[in-house]
Amino acid sequence: MKKILYICCWLCGVWTLTSCDSFLEADPKGVYTEENYFTTEQSVIDAISGLYGILIVEDYVAFGDYAWDICSDDMFRAGDHAEKEAIETFTFDAGNAQLKAGWSWKYEMVSRANNILIHLPEMTSISDDIKNRSLGETYFFRAFAYWWLYLPCGEVPLILEDDVKNANYNKPKASLNEVLAQIESDLQKAAQYLPETSTAGRINRGTAYAYLTQLYMHWSCIENNEDKLQKAIDAGTQVTGNDNYRLSANYQDNFRQVTEGLPEMLLYVTSSSTWRNTSTIYYFSPRSLGGWNFFHPLPGLFEAFGDDPRREMTMWAAGDQIQVGPDLINYDPNSSETGYHFNKYTTFTSEGLLNFDLLIPLMRSADVYLLVAEAKIRLSGAGAGDQEINAVRARVGLPPISNAGPEELIKERRLELAGENRRHFDLVRWDKIGWVDLVTLYADPKASHTTDQGRKNFQRPRNYYFPLPQEEIDKSNGVLVQNSNY
């Protein structure tokens, strides 16, 4: 039976936001079979656009995966999604709606990537530059999808090209090492094929090396061996040692639309007031100012910043002023359930409306600098990562520190990346190597909103990963087995 491919030009679609249940209207370009679609260079370009386009889907990057960080000690869920309370307090079961929110979209990205990888290598009616770039992008996005399946779920089924050819979709989970090895292989191939630099909005070789660095750091916390740490340093220095991926001169530019290129932004979603193509801005913004009022920073995060200049560029607090159209207004702490809002993703137009001309960062060079610093500290002890930590601090005018160890590295990552969906998964991997005690940390009243204090019961190792969606277990007819401890 012929497989039918529905190819949409997702990047040209309209992200129509009418409520929290927003949806993507895509303009179909046609219905094709495997035999007649991948025949021209333009068909490949369109298929690659379909990979980038999934980044704006609400249940994936635009909201779904940000919700994992409500478990952390940085933020409170807020909003009106009842299922998030169980995620934040670790009282969920396998039927929780959050668990399945992004599952199908991640496998949709895998599916699109597999179809491209089946056909693209044999194509001859395409320039070498476009073919290589497209192969690099495809390998990267398959890795990206599996990475965001691994982080919350751990062991997941691996569906690859041969499985598609043999219609072998109902597969058991792969082991943690098998999943991570597949991600590593795809990222290595992506780094081989991707160009060193790229046009605005596209990934480049630095993006692949950044995710390889992140992969090795998480992997090293499972195996706790020096080999993975050295690999993280080797991959990371491909970013930190290359001026094409240098840190932005202005920290806040990473969250704003600017006219010049931003080498630090290795993967990001470009939002537009014309298309309003991401709901991220709605979720983080105050309801009183046009947003949906989710993800409120906790007081402990505010206290951690102290007089760090990144605080005002990361979150609003009492006494701060906001430019809303022609008016400079006082931030109202009563508009938040914690007294704070993240402002990385919120500015306003000259008319006083929410401004959608923003950048939503998914990977920045600063993240890589701190991962390299961490790897060096774990290999060689306190002080070994000072150069990378101080490069990040110098960008915002902070004085250098010396002899930085785990405590300083952990704080630097917390403040630099606050609100960027790193904190919970960082804490999980640090708990695995004894850098933090997550059971105690999450039981601290400062780690929760007042309504959740005494209810946030992290259990080790059960909560290192979430359960697989029960719906997927049921559909597999016994092939897919639930994660242990659930």
Short mmCIF file of all heavy atoms in Angstrom, two decimals, residues 9 33 59 72 79 138 195 243 265 421 457 473-474:
data_model
loop_
_atom_site.label_atom_id
_atom_site.label_comp_id
_atom_site.label_asym_id
_atom_site.label_seq_id
_atom_site.Cartn_x
_atom_site.Cartn_y
_atom_site.Cartn_z
N CYS A 9 3.33 23.77 4.35
CA CYS A 9 4.33 24.81 4.55
C CYS A 9 4.04 25.48 5.89
O CYS A 9 3.41 26.52 5.96
CB CYS A 9 4.29 25.83 3.41
SG CYS A 9 5.65 27.00 3.46
N THR A 33 2.42 11.05 -3.03
CA THR A 33 2.88 9.71 -2.67
C THR A 33 4.39 9.76 -2.50
O THR A 33 5.05 10.73 -2.88
CB THR A 33 2.54 8.69 -3.76
OG1 THR A 33 3.29 8.99 -4.93
CG2 THR A 33 1.05 8.71 -4.08
N ASP A 59 1.50 22.57 22.15
CA ASP A 59 1.76 21.46 23.06
C ASP A 59 3.21 20.96 23.01
O ASP A 59 3.55 19.98 23.67
CB ASP A 59 0.82 20.28 22.75
CG ASP A 59 -0.55 20.46 23.36
OD1 ASP A 59 -0.67 21.28 24.29
OD2 ASP A 59 -1.49 19.79 22.92
N SER A 72 10.25 22.87 39.38
CA SER A 72 11.48 23.41 39.97
C SER A 72 11.16 24.37 41.11
O SER A 72 10.01 24.71 41.38
CB SER A 72 12.31 24.11 38.91
OG SER A 72 11.81 25.42 38.66
N GLY A 79 -2.08 30.09 36.35
CA GLY A 79 -2.97 29.70 35.25
C GLY A 79 -4.16 28.87 35.70
O GLY A 79 -4.45 28.74 36.89
N THR A 138 17.75 17.84 9.23
CA THR A 138 16.88 16.69 9.50
C THR A 138 17.43 15.83 10.62
O THR A 138 16.70 15.44 11.54
CB THR A 138 16.70 15.84 8.23
OG1 THR A 138 16.23 16.68 7.16
CG2 THR A 138 15.71 14.72 8.47
N PRO A 195 26.15 23.87 7.92
CA PRO A 195 27.17 24.91 7.67
C PRO A 195 27.58 25.56 8.99
O PRO A 195 26.84 25.53 9.98
CB PRO A 195 26.44 25.90 6.77
CG PRO A 195 24.99 25.75 7.13
CD PRO A 195 24.81 24.29 7.45
N ASP A 243 34.09 32.49 17.29
CA ASP A 243 33.50 33.83 17.36
C ASP A 243 32.15 33.91 16.65
O ASP A 243 31.37 34.83 16.91
CB ASP A 243 34.47 34.85 16.74
CG ASP A 243 34.06 36.29 17.02
OD1 ASP A 243 33.95 36.65 18.21
OD2 ASP A 243 33.82 37.05 16.05
N MET A 265 22.29 33.09 19.66
CA MET A 265 21.02 32.38 19.56
C MET A 265 21.18 31.19 18.61
O MET A 265 21.00 31.29 17.40
CB MET A 265 19.93 33.33 19.08
CG MET A 265 19.69 34.48 20.04
SD MET A 265 18.87 33.95 21.55
CE MET A 265 17.18 33.95 20.99
N ASN A 421 13.45 27.09 30.96
CA ASN A 421 13.15 25.66 30.98
C ASN A 421 14.40 24.80 31.15
O ASN A 421 14.57 23.79 30.48
CB ASN A 421 12.40 25.25 29.71
CG ASN A 421 11.69 23.92 29.84
OD1 ASN A 421 11.44 23.45 30.95
ND2 ASN A 421 11.37 23.30 28.73
N ASN A 457 6.40 16.36 47.03
CA ASN A 457 7.07 15.16 47.55
C ASN A 457 7.86 14.47 46.44
O ASN A 457 7.40 13.51 45.83
CB ASN A 457 6.03 14.21 48.15
CG ASN A 457 6.66 12.98 48.77
OD1 ASN A 457 7.81 13.01 49.19
ND2 ASN A 457 5.91 11.91 48.82
N ILE A 473 0.49 3.48 26.32
CA ILE A 473 0.62 2.12 26.85
C ILE A 473 -0.55 1.27 26.38
O ILE A 473 -0.39 0.13 25.91
CB ILE A 473 0.67 2.14 28.39
CG1 ILE A 473 1.85 2.97 28.89
CG2 ILE A 473 0.70 0.72 28.95
CD1 ILE A 473 3.20 2.35 28.75
N ASP A 474 -1.75 1.83 26.50
CA ASP A 474 -2.97 1.08 26.14
C ASP A 474 -3.00 0.76 24.65
O ASP A 474 -3.39 -0.35 24.26
CB ASP A 474 -4.21 1.89 26.53
CG ASP A 474 -4.35 2.08 28.03
OD1 ASP A 474 -3.70 1.31 28.78
OD2 ASP A 474 -5.07 3.00 28.45
#
